[in-house]
Amino acid sequence: MEQSIRTQPPGPRRRPPAAGRGREAAEPGPAAPRDGGAARPTRLRPAGPAPLLARLRRRVQAGGPRTGPPTRLTGIGTGVFAVLGTLAFGLLDQFLFGGLGTLFGLGFVLVCFQAAVRVRLADLPAAPISGPIAFAVTVGLLAPAQVPGVVGQVLALCSGLAMRAGWLFGGTGLAALIVVARFVAQRRIRRNRG
């Protein structure tokens, strides 16, 4: 019969306590750090809304302009922004002046500018494409039709686009110029880095 050569029970081995120190010094408790230095900060965040409120309070107390990169729109977001912005200016112009006039045109140019500036670099073509679509949707919805029916709506849309072609080409051209300038600037930045 063979006897086991193991003399200690399985599991982690215990170290003997150091000479001159008691058991308390040899085995640190859960509150005491192992290396004897200062306790390390934990990565756990306290539960509850207190950290969020503290961050909001710091941001309000700072009071300065927002730092960091500006908010960027996706391709779909640019299209929705262009349609809603152009439609809002069209409704405002119709409410104040009874038709689609100068306020609508200036609002469309402003919406095209904002869409071209705020669109993501990956979705740059969305800005000059969404502007004319938004313009056509707004003119189609708000331009009065002389002839009832579908044919009257199509004729009203075509005549509305023809009469406001200057605003349409101006806003779309501005968006296209900004998009091209951003694309060229981004390529130069990448070339200089590489």
Side-chain angles (χ1 to χ4, degrees), residues 3 5 23 25 28 35 48 51 65 76 79 95 100 105 111 118 123 134-135 145-146 150 152 154 157 162 171 177:
Q3 284 186 340
I5 58 172
R23 183 180 174 100
D35 59 354
I76 296 174
F95 176 73
L100 298 176
V111 166
R118 294 190 177 273
D123 298 323
F135 194 89
Q146 304 295 334
V150 177
V154 171
L157 175 62
L177 284 175

Side-chain angles (χ1 to χ4, degrees), residues 9-194:
R13 296 184 182 194
R14 295 183 185 174
R15 294 184 180 175
R21 292 191 223 168
R23 183 180 174 100
E24 294 82 16
E27 296 181 78
R34 290 187 180 269
D35 59 354
R40 295 180 184 169
T42 62
R43 289 189 174 190
L44 299 176
R45 294 180 181 174
L52 178 63
L53 292 175
R55 276 188 275 155
L56 288 174
R57 193 174 301 125
R58 272 185 259 128
R59 186 174 291 175
V60 169
Q61 287 174 353
R66 181 176 175 239
T67 59
T71 306
R72 296 292 181 200
L73 295 171
T74 62
I76 296 174
T78 303
V80 170
F81 170 75
V83 169
L84 292 179
T86 307
L87 192 59
F89 277 109
L91 288 171
L92 182 65
D93 197 6
Q94 197 169 37
F95 176 73
L96 292 177
F97 302 110
L100 298 176
T102 306
L103 180 62
F104 168 67
L106 289 174
F108 173 70
V109 171
L110 178 65
V111 166
C112 286
F113 173 77
Q114 286 295 322
V117 169
R118 294 190 177 273
V119 70
R120 294 187 314 174
L121 290 170
D123 298 323
L124 280 178
I129 291 172
S130 61
I133 294 172
F135 194 89
V137 166
T138 304
V139 169
L141 290 175
L142 300 180
Q146 304 295 334
V147 180
V150 177
V151 174
Q153 290 292 332
V154 171
L155 289 175
L157 175 62
C158 292
S159 63
L161 290 174
M163 289 190 316
R164 298 168 185 88
W167 294 114
L168 176 61
F169 289 126
T172 307
L174 177 65
L177 284 175
I178 293 172
V179 162
V180 168
R182 286 184 61 195
F183 179 75
V184 170
Q186 187 64 26
R187 287 201 56 172
R188 284 184 181 170
I189 290 172
R190 286 181 183 168
R191 192 179 304 144
N192 290 339
R193 284 181 184 169

